[in-house]
Amino acid sequence: MPRQNYSDIQAFIAVAREKSFTKAAANLSVSQSALSHTVRNLESRLGIRLLTRTTRSVSTTEAGQRLVDMLVPRFEEIDAEIAALSELRDKPAGTVRLSASDHAVDTILWPKLTPIMQNNPDITIEFNIDYGLTDIVKQRIDAGVRFGRKLEKDMIAVRIGPDLCRAVVASPKYFAEKNKPQTPQELVDHHCINVRLPSYGGLFAWRFQKDGNEITVNVNGHIIVNTMPNIMRSALEGHGLAYLPEDCVEPYLQSGELIQVLQDWCPKLPGYHLYYPDRRNPSPAFRMVVDALKYSEPEFKPRFNHFR
């Protein structure tokens, strides 16, 4: 295929990724009609349909998906090689995009990456707050943060934080009307603050462990949220029991604004890990971020701002 047709393939990949001519045109800064014409010309030259179009959706054909699967990794390698050329600069530069929950950003990413941002003005760090299992390759994000090491194929995992304990808490106002649960099973008789998982659409199940026994409880309540600050606010206002990382609630336990229960049932969770695709030539800026985030127990000092 002539070299001038490479841009047509990239235009097709943009449409396939977004599943929308409108969104892809906006990303490429071209008109929707021009983008549609480009893709049709590509299909004509190849002699095969790459996209199925309806009034409501755009999807790849079998041939189109095969082309995407084959070419996207190669274009990403080209992008990575070009980015690696910044090694020739005196200072690392570029944008590093990270996906993480607000808890991970506040306790780990922000404190550890602040010196990089202060000392390297040519580096931009973009924080994407996300509670789901983000497909970082599809979203063109450099790295994500997740508990533990259970990751997709071809991903590298780097430990960036210590193991964490969860805590079941509620306000004195709530316990003024309800007895404190003594076992996880008793949670079914309580109002609990549920969390909607964006990746699956379901509700987060509360997991407990004691003396080798594991218990999962699907709790109920009259509030469902999807961010940690809203969980905290709901608990402080007396709407029910919350299940949160222990370091989040520690200041409120000390002040008496929250009361902890079921301490002996709350196990430690595997700490946060940074995960990213296995690429041969990461940019100097990305390597600097990874090195700064690597977990070192003697030096790690969690930091957390109160949710208000």
Side-chain angles (χ1 to χ4, degrees):
M1 179 177 290
R3 292 181 181 178
Q4 60 265 29
N5 294 332
Y6 291 169
S7 60
D8 295 352
I9 293 177
Q10 290 178 312
F12 156 70
I13 290 174
V15 176
R17 179 181 287 118
E18 296 294 343
K19 300 185 184 301
S20 166
F21 277 93
T22 302
K23 293 180 180 179
N27 292 340
L28 296 173
S29 299
V30 299
S31 68
Q32 184 176 343
S33 60
L35 181 58
S36 179
H37 181 71
T38 297
V39 173
R40 288 188 184 278
N41 282 344
L42 176 62
E43 291 176 320
S44 178
R45 289 196 300 272
L46 294 177
I48 191 169
R49 174 178 281 187
L50 301 175
L51 295 172
T52 299
R53 307 164 177 83
T54 69
T55 57
R56 295 186 176 182
S57 65
V58 177
S59 61
T60 54
T61 63
E62 181 180 354
Q65 190 59 47
R66 179 177 176 180
L67 191 63
V68 169
D69 294 341
M70 178 177 62
L71 293 181
V72 166
R74 288 164 174 77
F75 278 118
E76 289 179 346
E77 288 180 5
I78 292 172
D79 290 341
E81 292 290 349
I82 292 175
L85 293 177
S86 60
E87 287 182 323
L88 300 177
R89 295 171 53 107
D90 293 333
K91 296 181 180 180
T95 298
V96 179
R97 301 184 66 204
L98 303 175
S99 175
S101 68
D102 44 14
H103 178 254
V105 169
D106 197 83
T107 60
I108 296 177
L109 302 189
W110 192 263
K112 288 191 172 185
L113 297 182
T114 293
I116 289 180
M117 293 183 284
Q118 292 174 337
N119 299 325
N120 298 273
D122 292 332
I123 294 179
T124 299
I125 299 177
E126 179 178 341
F127 297 107
N128 178 36
I129 305 300
D130 190 356
Y131 285 78
L133 302 179
T134 302
D135 186 338
I136 60 173
V137 175
K138 182 178 179 181
Q139 298 298 324
R140 301 184 70 81
I141 292 173
D142 294 295
V145 176
R146 188 180 300 175
F147 281 120
R149 297 176 55 90
K150 294 183 179 179
L151 305 173
E152 291 83 359
K153 183 181 178 182
D154 299 328
M155 288 286 176
I156 294 175
V158 177
R159 186 179 180 90
I160 62 173
D163 290 344
L164 297 174
C165 281
R166 282 189 173 271
V168 180
V169 297
S171 69
K173 176 183 175 181
Y174 177 81
F175 283 129
E177 300 178 358
K178 289 277 190 177
N179 293 326
K180 297 177 183 178
Q182 302 301 313
T183 65
Q185 292 90 334
E186 295 178 24
L187 291 173
V188 297
D189 298 323
H190 284 263
H191 294 299
C192 296
I193 301 161
N194 258 311
V195 181
R196 179 77 65 185
L197 294 174
S199 298
Y200 303 108
L203 299 177
F204 175 71
W206 295 15
R207 294 179 174 86
F208 300 93
Q209 183 178 341
K210 181 180 179 181
D211 299 330
N213 297 319
E214 295 185 2
I215 297 176
T216 299
V217 182
N218 294 310
V219 299
N220 295 304
H222 55 264
I223 290 182
I224 300 174
V225 297
N226 64 354
T227 65
M228 197 171 295
N230 285 321
I231 301 172
M232 184 69 74
R233 179 174 181 176
S234 299
L236 289 169
E237 293 182 357
H239 294 294
L241 291 156
Y243 197 35
L244 290 162
E246 197 170 50
D247 64 331
C248 293
V249 301
E250 184 178 355
Y252 302 103
L253 296 176
Q254 294 178 358
S255 67
E257 295 174 86
L258 291 175
I259 298 172
Q260 185 175 3
V261 296
L262 301 177
Q263 291 96 318
D264 55 341
W265 279 97
C266 295
K268 280 192 174 183
L269 301 174
Y272 283 121
H273 285 68
L274 189 77
Y275 68 98
Y276 53 91
D278 185 0
R279 293 172 177 163
R280 290 177 298 172
N281 293 305
S283 70
F286 181 72
R287 286 203 302 268
M288 181 176 289
V289 167
V290 174
D291 289 342
L293 290 176
K294 286 180 180 178
Y295 174 62
S296 177
E297 187 170 358
E299 299 176 358
F300 183 81
K301 295 181 181 180
R303 166 187 167 273
F304 189 78
N305 290 332
H306 292 191
F307 285 125
R308 286 297 189 186

